[in-house]
Amino acid sequence: MKYLIISIRSIIFYIVITVVYKMMGKREIGELSVVDFIVSMFIAEIVAISIENYKESIWISLLPIILLVLLQIVTSKVSLKNKKIRDVLDGKPSVIINRGKVNFKEMKRLRYNLDDLLSQLRGESIKSLSEVDYAILETNGKLSIFKKEENSPYPLAIILDGEVEEDVLIEINKTKKWLEKELDNKHILLENVFYAF
């Protein structure tokens, strides 16, 4: 009887987790945000405990899973509409190599060492740092690499989700006033721009 109960619980949780991940709109494991990863770990732990404690009601485990999924869905929707919250929950991409120069200060802040950088470059068949114009560490830990090419600058987003990216303006030595003037010359209102680079 014990093995039958454990088997039935396992099948039920398999179905529940499949439905839950469809609801959460999951991507590949490497693309999970921190919140998604935490929810996944909690669900896995709750399911494991519930299968081991087969004498307890299954609802004791289903309730926290449902609450975690609802919390994840709410935070996803809120972060989709609010860039500041998204930056807090998911973080922001970091420029590791900028115009061929390694940004050691940013690497130190991220606790991302030179071995990590070189390993990811080798994974993209890049032999030397001198081949790279820009490298951006994405929020999912993947390194986006842009090789050096003549007259091919990397487009930096200066307006993202309708908000001016002040740090990008500083990086390209421009001001918000300059941006407003450029938009005004094209007869475009800042509040009407969703994305600009």
Side-chain angles (χ1 to χ4, degrees):
M1 187 66 170
K2 168 181 158 180
Y3 297 109
L4 180 63
I5 293 171
I6 291 172
S7 299
I8 290 170
R9 286 174 91 101
S10 298
I11 292 168
I12 290 170
F13 279 119
Y14 175 79
I15 293 166
V16 167
I17 290 172
T18 302
V19 170
V20 160
Y21 277 91
K22 291 282 186 190
M23 287 173 54
M24 288 170 54
K26 286 297 117 237
R27 303 165 294 239
E28 293 178 31
I29 296 297
E31 295 178 1
L32 291 178
S33 70
V34 172
V35 174
D36 295 339
F37 181 72
I38 290 168
V39 168
S40 297
M41 295 302 293
F42 270 125
I43 289 173
E45 190 65 28
I46 290 167
V47 169
I49 291 168
S50 181
I51 291 171
E52 287 177 10
N53 299 332
Y54 63 91
K55 291 182 181 176
E56 290 187 13
S57 169
I58 199 165
W59 292 106
I60 291 174
S61 300
L62 286 176
L63 180 61
I65 290 174
I66 292 166
L67 289 174
L68 285 169
V69 170
L70 290 175
L71 180 65
Q72 190 278 339
I73 290 170
V74 167
T75 56
S76 291
K77 289 190 182 226
V78 169
S79 70
L80 187 64
K81 295 181 183 201
N82 188 314
K83 185 177 180 330
K84 289 178 182 170
I85 291 175
R86 185 170 56 244
D87 288 345
V88 168
L89 292 176
D90 295 336
K92 292 175 77 172
S94 299
V95 178
I96 301 297
I97 299 176
N98 185 356
R99 296 185 187 111
K101 294 182 182 169
V102 178
N103 186 346
F104 290 108
K105 186 176 179 183
E106 186 67 7
M107 287 176 66
K108 186 176 181 182
R109 186 184 73 78
L110 297 170
R111 292 177 299 282
Y112 182 77
N113 63 47
L114 196 55
D115 287 337
D116 295 333
L117 175 61
L118 294 173
S119 171
Q120 288 192 298
L121 290 175
R122 285 191 302 272
E124 297 294 323
S125 301
I126 295 174
K127 300 173 196 151
S128 168
L129 286 170
S130 63
E131 296 177 46
V132 181
D133 197 22
Y134 286 91
I136 298 166
L137 188 62
E138 304 294 350
T139 57
N140 63 5
K142 185 179 183 296
L143 190 67
S144 296
I145 302 161
F146 301 88
K147 292 183 178 182
K148 286 185 179 176
E149 294 176 24
E150 281 203 34
N151 301 324
S152 179
Y154 170 69
L156 296 170
I158 54 176
I159 299 175
L160 190 60
D161 288 344
E163 292 186 26
V164 176
E165 295 289 302
E166 300 281 349
D167 53 338
V168 173
L169 285 174
I170 291 168
E171 189 174 323
I172 63 172
N173 297 319
K174 302 291 182 185
T175 63
K176 190 172 180 182
K177 202 169 245 169
W178 166 85
L179 175 61
E180 289 167 348
K181 185 178 176 186
E182 289 293 313
L183 291 172
D184 191 44
N185 289 342
K186 296 181 186 334
H187 308 291
I188 299 171
L189 296 173
L190 180 60
E191 57 266 16
N192 293 337
V193 180
F194 182 72
Y195 176 74
F197 63 91

